[in-house]
């Protein structure tokens, strides 16, 4: 399968309504048309939406949407998932309309997270207006930068799912987790010009959504958001810093739905010709000290 980008992400949350102010006020995300169930949908570019926060009883990741090129690629993708034993379910028109795409199929990865493949998401050129005065986001065909999922273990089956089924390329594997020195460190995968689109991080006995990254077009927007987060006493998970891996200058803070958002700038773009598997000697060039936010609240203990 050739995934073009991380196209949309769905979350369930009792605090879904808080996103109507949190998304625009802190980051400059824009409000899109509400979902049929009242979901707050957030835009970061000319696509109809990128994030849908649905009403729900607990804070959790609901689905991850991967964009394929067209209907042919979609049909081939469904066939490949069937052949690999992932039992994809092709969504009906109601689901496609809800997602604002022309075709969608869903399935679960070996760790149990729901993924969707889709094609042809609704957009309108020139329609994006930031939710507060700011320079906007790096998106469009590069999609959402990435998300990181916590799993009890990054198993060989999970790695095969990422590379052989989804067609992602392995960007980097760290031998240990930075903050506890334990094995099961993250593996990061890329699907387009961004350095990575998904990371799986092995933390024994835990599972859930770690963080979602959004990328602004201006360092000032990131700096101003950082000021605002501190003034409002929103828990910071990682202070401002620059990652070695994707060169993103960013900070991480807790959202109303318990997971973490990384708001960054200056993420590296790499292409297929210059791409090599990477192994920085440290996670960080500077900064990114751990803050009081701690582990994302959506990363929960699981029996394993
Ligand atoms: Fe990140």
């Amino acid at each position: 399968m050739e995934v073009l980008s991380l196209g949309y992400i769905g979350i369930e949350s009792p605090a879904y309504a808080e996103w109507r102010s949190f998304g625009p006020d802190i980051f400059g995300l824009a409000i899109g048309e509400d979902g049929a169930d009242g979901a707050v949908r957030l835009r970061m570019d000319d696509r109809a939406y990128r994030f849908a926060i649905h009403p729900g009883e607990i804070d959790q990741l609901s689905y991850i949407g991967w964009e394929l090129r067209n209907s042919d690629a979609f049909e081939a993708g469904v066939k490949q998932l069937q052949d690999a034993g992932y039992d994809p379910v092709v969504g009906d028109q109601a689901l496609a309309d809800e997602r604002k795409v022309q075709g969608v199929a869903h399935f679960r990865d070996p760790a149990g997270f729901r993924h969707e493949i889709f094609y042809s998401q609704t957009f309108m050129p020139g329609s994006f207006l930031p939710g507060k005065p700011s320079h906007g986001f790096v998106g469009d065909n590069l999609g959402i930068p990435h998300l990181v999922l916590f799993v009890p273990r990054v198993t060989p089956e999970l790695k095969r799912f990422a590379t052989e089924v989804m067609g992602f390329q392995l960007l980097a594997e760290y031998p240990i987790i930075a903050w506890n020195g334990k094995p099961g460190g993250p593996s990061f995968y890329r699907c387009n010009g961004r350095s990575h689109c998904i990371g799986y991080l092995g933390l024994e006995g835990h599972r859930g959504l770690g963080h979602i990254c959004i990328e602004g077009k201006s360092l000032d927007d990131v700096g101003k958001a950082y000021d605002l987060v501190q003034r409002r006493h929103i828990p910071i998970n990682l202070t401002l810093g620059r990652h070695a891996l994707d060169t993103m200058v960013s900070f991480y803070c807790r959202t109303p739905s318990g997971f973490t958002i990384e708001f960054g700038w200056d993420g590296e773009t790499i292409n297929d010709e210059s791409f090599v598997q990477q192994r920085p000697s440290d996670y960080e060039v500077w900064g990114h000290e751990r803050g009081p936010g701690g582990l994302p609240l959506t990363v929960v203990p699981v029996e394993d």
Side-chain angles (χ1 to χ4, degrees), residues 146 148 188 196 211 213 243 246 252 262:
H146 60 262
V148 170
F188 295 100
H196 57 287
H211 77 266
C213 179
H243 287 310
D246 61 3
Y252 293 57
E262 175 185 12

Side-chain angles (χ1 to χ4, degrees), residues 4 22 32 57 144 148 152 166 189 204 216 222 241 245 269 290:
L4 299 184
F22 185 81
E57 289 186 3
I144 299 165
V148 170
M166 299 304 287
Y189 301 89
E204 199 176 331
V222 174
L245 194 59
T269 53
R290 293 194 75 200

Side-chain angles (χ1 to χ4, degrees), residues 5-212:
S5 68
L6 175 54
Y8 57 75
I9 296 174
I11 305 287
E12 287 173 29
S13 175
Y16 73 100
E18 288 183 39
W19 285 86
R20 219 175 279 287
S21 53
F22 185 81
D25 293 359
I26 305 294
F27 304 112
L29 294 166
I31 301 293
E33 185 186 307
D34 282 359
D37 60 354
V40 174
R41 292 199 284 217
L42 296 164
R43 309 180 68 203
M44 57 170 228
D45 54 20
D46 286 340
R47 297 296 182 96
Y49 73 98
R50 292 295 193 176
F51 308 100
I53 321 296
H54 297 267
E57 289 186 3
I58 59 169
D59 293 320
Q60 61 179 342
L61 176 66
S62 188
Y63 50 85
I64 309 162
W66 299 104
E67 179 163 47
L68 301 186
R69 192 173 301 281
N70 54 24
S71 54
D72 287 347
F74 177 75
E75 283 172 26
V78 170
K79 170 101 175 41
Q80 193 186 349
L81 287 163
Q82 285 167 343
D83 292 347
Y86 282 91
D87 299 329
V89 177
V90 176
D92 59 13
Q93 191 61 46
L95 182 65
D97 290 347
E98 164 65 22
R99 298 288 194 264
K100 293 188 176 288
V101 300
Q102 288 205 42
V104 58
H106 57 90
F107 53 98
R108 290 192 182 270
D109 70 18
F113 294 104
R114 173 166 163 153
H115 295 251
E116 300 181 354
I117 52 173
F118 73 88
Y119 67 97
S120 195
Q121 187 184 26
T122 304
F123 75 104
M124 180 52 68
S127 66
F128 178 73
L129 193 61
K132 68 174 181 181
S134 52
H135 299 80
F137 300 89
V138 181
D140 298 318
N141 287 348
L142 284 175
I144 299 165
H146 60 262
L147 85 172
V148 170
L149 303 174
F150 280 65
V151 295
R153 271 182 306 281
V154 182
T155 62
E157 187 189 14
L158 196 53
K159 290 185 191 177
R160 279 198 301 277
F161 166 78
T163 56
E164 294 173 21
V165 178
M166 299 304 287
F168 301 148
Q169 287 179 311
L170 181 65
L171 171 82
E173 277 183 298
Y174 286 95
I176 55 164
I177 297 177
W179 73 83
N180 64 11
K182 289 190 172 170
S187 56
F188 295 100
Y189 301 89
R190 67 184 285 267
C191 68
N192 59 25
R194 294 192 186 278
S195 88
H196 57 287
C197 58
I198 189 168
Y200 284 107
L201 195 155
L203 184 62
E204 199 176 331
H206 289 78
R207 183 180 175 282
L209 173 61
H211 77 266
I212 294 171

